[in-house]
Amino acid sequence: MRLVVDTTACQGHGRCAANAPHLIVLNDDGYLTESVIEVPEALVSEATAAAANCPEMCISVVDD
Ligand code: F3S
């Protein structure tokens, strides 16, 4: 699984990092700037929570 992020749509709400603290690191201004984030098996629930809680719907879950 990986997360694919539309970084141009990020408004810095920070809910992704709050829901996936082991997976998502925001930049110094509080924006998500990584466009692809590989998800280890142990962090699948964090990843899906991050995607579900972004109010801008920037984050898509891609399950290969
Ligand atoms: Fe940005 Fe959404 Fe996270 S707006 S900081 S990707 S919750």
Side-chain angles (χ1 to χ4, degrees):
M1 176 191 279
R2 60 203 144 97
L3 298 179
V4 176
V5 182
D6 179 0
T7 57
T8 63
C10 177
Q11 297 295 314
H13 293 292
R15 294 190 199 169
C16 53
N19 281 278
H22 303 98
L23 192 60
I24 291 181
V25 177
L26 304 178
N27 74 5
D28 289 344
D29 297 319
Y31 288 80
L32 179 50
T33 57
E34 283 185 273
S35 55
V36 178
I37 300 168
E38 296 295 335
V39 180
E41 191 65 35
L43 296 180
V44 166
S45 63
E46 283 199 17
T48 54
N53 283 281
C54 174
E56 307 295 335
M57 295 187 289
C58 301
I59 304 172
S60 302
V61 175
V62 177
D63 218 344
D64 297 307

